[in-house]
Amino acid sequence: MKDLSELVLTIVRPLVTYPEQVQLEIVESDDFYEYNLTVAPEDIGRIIGKQGRVAKAIRTIVYGVRLDAPKKVRLNIVDKKD
């Protein structure tokens, strides 16, 4: 799972203005490994993109990774309002 975390961070950090504020939390549920991505409030638009195209592209790459686990991966972009 560490490789998948590194993949997400490698994709996201160059896209944002504040890469030091990028956080990725992994939560394991019964059916999923949920990757909760949090970025600075100013960078949410950069990660989602116009009509969600950037977020869709990131999810396509992440979901294409083959895991040896029976669970699926879900990438959530968390919008934390300060």
Side-chain angles (χ1 to χ4, degrees):
M1 301 315 293
K2 181 161 174 55
D3 292 339
L4 195 54
S5 299
E6 288 299 318
L7 174 66
V8 172
L9 294 174
T10 301
I11 293 170
V12 170
R13 281 190 178 133
L15 297 175
V16 297
T17 306
Y18 303 102
E20 67 278 354
Q21 292 187 24
V22 174
Q23 297 175 346
L24 189 63
E25 177 188 9
I26 304 169
V27 178
E28 186 175 348
S29 65
D30 291 338
D31 298 323
F32 294 98
Y33 290 112
E34 296 200 32
Y35 285 73
N36 297 321
L37 178 67
T38 307
V39 297
E42 299 85 15
D43 290 328
I44 280 287
R46 292 176 181 266
I47 294 301
I48 295 174
K50 291 185 180 179
Q51 298 180 357
R53 289 186 181 144
V54 175
K56 185 177 178 183
I58 294 169
R59 286 186 175 122
T60 300
I61 294 169
V62 171
Y63 295 166
V65 173
R66 197 72 150 141
L67 294 179
D68 293 335
K71 298 182 182 185
K72 294 183 179 181
V73 172
R74 180 183 288 163
L75 179 65
N76 302 317
I77 300 170
V78 179
D79 185 12
K80 64 174 184 178
K81 305 242 181 191
D82 290 336

